[in-house]
Amino acid sequence: MGVFSLESVIESFEASTRDAGKVQIETLRRILEENAEAEYLQSWGLAGRTDPDSFKACVPLVTHPDLEPYIRRIADGDASPVLTGKPITSMSLSSGTTQGRPKLVPFNDELVKSTMQIYQTSYAFRNREFPIANGKALQFIYSSKQIMTRGGLTATTATTNVYRSEQFKCTMKNLQSQCCSPDEVIFGSDFHQSLYCHLLCGLIFSNEVQLVSSTFAHSIVHAFRTFEEVWEELCADIRGGVLSSRITIPSMRAAVSELLKPNPELADSIDKKCSHLSNWYGVIPELWPNAKYVYGIMTGSMEPYLKKLRHYAGNLPLMTADYGSSEGWIAANVNPALPPESATFAVLPDIGYFEFIPLEEKPEQTLEKRPSTAPYAESEPVGLTEVEVGKEYEMVITSFAGLYRYRLGDVVKVAGFYNSTPELKFVCRRSLLLTINIDKNTEKDLQLAVEEAAKLLAAEKLEVVDFSSHVDVSTDPGHYVIFWELNGDAGEDVLSSCCDCLDRSFIDAGYVGSRKVRAIGPLELRVVQRGTFQKILDHFLSLGAAVSQFKTPRCVGLSNSKVLQILNNNVMDRYFSAAYD
Ligand code: AMP
């Protein structure tokens, strides 16, 4: 196939993972040599040394705020080698949906290259087990606005930077995964219009579509929730060959109209299929009969959408995509047959230099009032091949794009090894979500509690569309607040039981103990109106975030006042738990 062969991609992955330790030393040497001129590295006195020991001895572990002054100078137009040998000419805006505001991180061609390498690697493994034919991909991908920094650098989300690159299109063609929609749809300035056109183009090419994908699974679920509402309009467009008047962007109208010809047979068949579906179960294989799987990041904060995604995907396998961030890629999914819940990611030892901070839960008695980001005891970072199976670590990356010993804030668990490189399970973001005193509940704990309580809704055929949380310390004692958006009306009794169940499902000893002695008040469930989480998405889009990278903020602090305001302004009902009465 194409210009690259699957076997050679797998062979080079095998080769680099066979002696991952050696490849890491070599990768660090390349990074430090290429960037030896960088003021940042010089200031730490590396003096040309490129070995891991000197690197660790001289250069400190950092987080984004430590690098902000350097990044700011680059953004303001300082073209001297600040963080990298070759000047940085564009920036990425990390999604920032977890923190509330996007962060700037350097972007360069090396990141495009490693993105392509990771895409090719996981595709090679995927295609070995689930081969796709030459065709198209129904991809729900969206670009974000491009802004200019004060110094004239372009800044946009990392996914947009990638979609804009020539290499992306070329690679996608080789991976037989060309997007159904024209560029005018992907790069359109209005997300709602782009989404409608993605669905329409997907239907026009329904027989050619080999897979349905997005960067993060949230976009696929969101797309099909929208499909449920607009499918008749889509059918009408296909029947008459005239694009709905809701598409007002001239370039998007022109590009999609070009593809749209009157096709009453196709419209009839879509109509018939949709009318026969039961609550949209299996809509994807029904309308895209040649699709082989659904693909996108489905782990971490995307897990809550899996149930709905499975519903839409029917009998099609769900395959979770790779692990990385705007700051750099880390690991590929080379076990595509594993369900997303048990997926692991094998680190590519030649795309960056990776360190792992061992995390151990602090013994309960030492837990006095802690800063909200330190639920773990840390020890010295270890190298890629020194990690131990079963242990949890915080990821630290050193990239080809000017980040050195950068703490990513993600917690991963080592599930095993592929040759000599670790296979990681994504656990959660490091930042602690819910904490009032000695309690500590992470994003994962919240997810499990919501899953448990949502089971009570299933009997009523209701589901949680999306959720978030907040620590309310304006009351004394403080208490947890959980926000739920439901897809229909639930009775008071069932919601009241859900609220009790949520409270009981936080099983962390610190929480249970505090609840029993009333050091934490009854958990509060606030049910918000339908469409509230859409408003939150729209709010992030207005800040320059991209739908492609959107992650629902699962815990909203006071610093995220706008999102908190959206949530609170849309509350319909409140329930207080009686679980510990
Ligand atoms: P962004 O700021 O948009 O670049 O998002 C990067 C973050 O998304 C990472 O630091 C992770 O927390 C999360 N993420 C990326 N890939 C995965 C994955 N495969 N599974 C779970 N979370 C992921």
Side-chain angles (χ1 to χ4, degrees):
M1 66 169 291
V3 286
F4 88 100
S5 101
L6 295 180
E7 283 320 308
S8 69
V9 171
I10 291 183
E11 188 33 54
S12 65
F13 177 75
E14 292 288 343
S16 73
T17 54
R18 229 167 270 142
D19 193 348
K22 209 165 113 202
V23 175
Q24 279 283 275
I25 294 173
E26 175 57 20
T27 305
L28 180 64
R29 187 188 61 73
R30 278 177 45 220
I31 293 174
L32 297 181
E33 270 179 16
E34 279 176 25
N35 299 296
E37 299 299 305
E39 171 194 323
Y40 181 78
L41 287 178
Q42 295 202 340
S43 73
W44 293 112
L46 265 178
R49 285 169 296 171
T50 62
D51 62 288
D53 287 342
S54 310
F55 179 58
K56 290 185 199 175
C58 298
V59 180
L61 290 168
V62 290
T63 57
H64 194 269
D66 298 313
L67 295 183
E68 219 156 349
Y70 297 91
I71 294 176
R72 187 45 48 211
R73 273 174 50 204
I74 300 171
D76 288 348
D78 187 339
S80 68
V82 179
L83 286 169
T84 49
K86 266 194 248 156
I88 292 287
T89 53
S90 42
M91 290 275 177
S92 286
L93 287 162
S94 81
S95 58
T97 43
T98 40
Q99 253 60 46
R101 78 190 164 93
K103 301 174 290 201
L104 280 180
V105 292
F107 184 85
N108 65 10
D109 281 345
E110 295 290 340
L111 289 179
V112 179
K113 255 197 260 167
S114 59
T115 307
M116 298 311 125
Q117 184 184 343
I118 213 140
Y119 281 4
Q120 289 174 343
T121 305
S122 57
Y123 175 82
F125 281 90
R126 209 159 59 243
N127 218 50
R128 202 157 66 170
E129 287 179 62
F130 302 88
I132 55 174
N134 215 349
K136 291 191 187 293
L138 169 53
Q139 285 182 311
F140 296 101
I141 57 177
Y142 310 88
S143 79
S144 62
K145 281 187 224 114
Q146 211 167 14
I147 56 168
M148 278 287 172
T149 67
R150 207 174 336 152
L153 280 73
T154 57
T156 184
T157 49
T159 41
T160 306
N161 273 323
V162 169
Y163 302 152
R164 280 194 190 281
S165 70
E166 268 311 306
Q167 280 189 53
F168 175 70
K169 271 193 213 128
C170 183
T171 306
M172 284 323 208
K173 211 165 172 182
N174 287 329
L175 303 188
Q176 301 170 297
S177 314
Q178 254 183 314
C179 186
C180 291
S181 312
D183 278 2
E184 288 80 356
V185 173
I186 303 171
F187 297 109
S189 54
D190 179 297
F191 155 66
H192 302 279
Q193 297 190 29
S194 293
L195 167 53
Y196 185 89
C197 289
H198 275 318
L199 288 167
L200 186 61
C201 296
L203 291 170
I204 294 172
F205 294 108
S206 50
N207 283 324
E208 289 168 58
V209 167
Q210 298 289 311
L211 73 147
V212 174
S213 73
S214 69
T215 309
F216 285 97
H218 170 267
S219 303
I220 307 180
V221 171
H222 188 268
F224 284 97
R225 286 195 194 276
T226 307
F227 181 79
E228 290 185 22
E229 280 157 27
V230 300
W231 70 278
E232 282 166 309
E233 200 173 332
L234 291 162
C235 268
D237 289 6
I238 292 172
R239 190 178 305 281
V242 180
L243 186 57
S244 157
S245 59
R246 67 161 76 214
I247 309 304
T248 55
I249 298 169
S251 59
M252 203 187 297
R253 269 202 85 81
V256 176
S257 297
E258 183 95 343
L259 302 172
L260 185 64
K261 303 281 173 291
N263 191 342
E265 296 91 78
L266 179 59
D268 284 342
S269 115
I270 298 169
D271 196 317
K272 203 163 140 208
K273 288 173 174 176
C274 288
S275 311
H276 280 92
L277 288 172
S278 158
N279 193 25
W280 301 100
Y281 177 82
V283 58
I284 298 178
E286 192 63 32
L287 294 181
W288 290 277
N290 296 315
K292 309 292 185 296
Y293 50 82
V294 176
Y295 185 65
I297 294 176
M298 300 171 186
T299 37
S301 59
M302 296 297 134
E303 267 184 47
Y305 306 111
L306 275 174
K307 195 163 165 232
K308 193 69 183 172
L309 194 56
R310 280 214 169 88
H311 182 83
Y312 289 133
N315 57 0
L316 279 185
L318 301 185
M319 262 169 245
T320 189
D322 310 313
Y323 170 39
S325 66
S326 308
E327 287 87 344
W329 281 100
I330 298 162
N333 177 4
V334 298
N335 298 306
L338 289 179
E341 289 87 347
S342 39
T344 60
F345 306 97
V347 180
L348 270 64
D350 54 350
I351 55 173
Y353 182 74
F354 303 104
E355 291 171 77
F356 296 80
I357 303 176
L359 301 175
E360 264 165 68
E361 299 229 344
K362 276 186 185 169
E364 219 53 56
Q365 53 275 31
T366 65
L367 289 174
E368 288 292 299
K369 276 218 167 199
R370 284 156 322 186
S372 67
T373 48
Y376 299 103
E378 299 177 1
S379 34
E380 282 304 297
V382 299
L384 181 73
T385 54
E386 291 156 3
V387 295
E388 291 175 44
V389 174
K391 292 212 166 148
E392 291 189 358
Y393 299 89
E394 179 184 341
M395 285 294 316
V396 176
I397 67 175
T398 294
S399 74
F400 282 93
L403 301 179
Y404 308 95
R405 308 197 80 207
Y406 178 96
R407 297 175 74 145
L408 200 56
D410 285 347
V411 180
V412 296
K413 185 174 190 164
V414 178
F417 282 88
Y418 187 102
N419 291 329
S420 60
T421 201
E423 291 186 303
L424 309 175
K425 246 186 107 58
F426 183 88
V427 179
C428 59
R429 295 283 306 165
R430 170 88 196 256
S431 50
L432 184 61
L433 280 170
L434 295 164
T435 181
I436 290 176
N437 50 49
I438 58 165
D439 52 313
K440 54 174 165 29
N441 282 296
T442 64
E443 172 162 5
K444 187 85 198 171
D445 300 316
L446 170 64
Q447 183 200 323
L448 293 174
V450 170
E451 263 172 28
E452 202 49 43
K455 286 183 189 158
L456 302 174
L457 293 171
E460 322 255 321
K461 289 216 178 340
L462 285 172
E463 59 195 56
V464 178
V465 174
D466 225 326
F467 62 93
S468 191
S469 68
H470 171 64
V471 168
D472 187 349
V473 286
S474 67
T475 56
D476 188 24
H479 69 285
Y480 290 6
V481 177
I482 311 293
F483 294 94
W484 269 12
E485 179 177 326
L486 304 177
N487 67 337
D489 295 331
E492 276 182 25
D493 287 354
V494 68
L495 286 171
S496 187
S497 321
C498 288
C499 181
D500 291 359
C501 180
L502 280 167
D503 204 4
R504 265 194 309 271
S505 301
F506 287 104
I507 51 172
D508 153 60
Y511 184 74
V512 176
S514 303
R515 282 290 286 119
K516 283 187 181 153
V517 301
R518 309 260 187 288
I520 294 181
L523 179 142
E524 180 182 355
L525 172 61
R526 294 186 192 162
V527 181
V528 296
Q529 291 178 31
R530 288 216 64 184
T532 302
F533 281 84
Q534 175 68 47
K535 288 183 188 158
I536 293 176
L537 173 61
D538 289 338
H539 163 69
F540 280 109
L541 297 188
S542 73
L543 292 181
V547 183
S548 289
Q549 274 169 258
F550 180 74
K551 299 163 205 80
T552 299
R554 294 289 182 215
C555 183
V556 183
L558 290 173
S559 61
N560 214 340
S561 56
K562 182 68 200 172
V563 175
L564 198 55
Q565 195 188 347
I566 296 174
L567 286 166
N568 281 328
N569 287 349
N570 286 281
V571 171
M572 299 189 300
D573 296 310
R574 292 159 186 257
Y575 297 86
F576 284 93
S577 157
Y580 290 88
D581 283 0

